[in-house]
Amino acid sequence: MTDLRDLRQQLTPEGQQILEETVERKGEEWVREHADLVLAQARKVGMVE
């Protein structure tokens, strides 16, 4: 599983905000388990630094 801190560091500030909303909606465990999908979507929409 991916550490959420590492995931946050890879995102732009806007991407980090969306990540926080996703954590609130789906939970930290889901985000950790699906970090590859989260990053792929962030890359697609330009939210990766």
Side-chain angles (χ1 to χ4, degrees):
M1 273 194 241
T2 301
D3 185 349
L4 288 181
R5 281 178 283 152
D6 293 338
L7 186 57
R8 284 183 187 103
Q9 290 175 350
Q10 296 179 56
L11 300 171
T12 64
E14 186 176 308
Q16 291 172 7
Q17 179 61 38
I18 292 170
L19 177 65
E20 294 306 320
E21 292 169 7
T22 303
V23 168
E24 287 177 20
R25 203 171 65 248
K26 296 197 175 216
E28 282 187 29
E29 186 174 333
W30 185 93
V31 173
R32 278 193 222 108
E33 289 175 358
H34 297 89
D36 56 334
L37 298 174
V38 171
L39 280 175
Q41 186 64 27
R43 283 187 194 98
K44 188 183 258 187
V45 297
M47 291 188 186
V48 176
E49 290 186 343

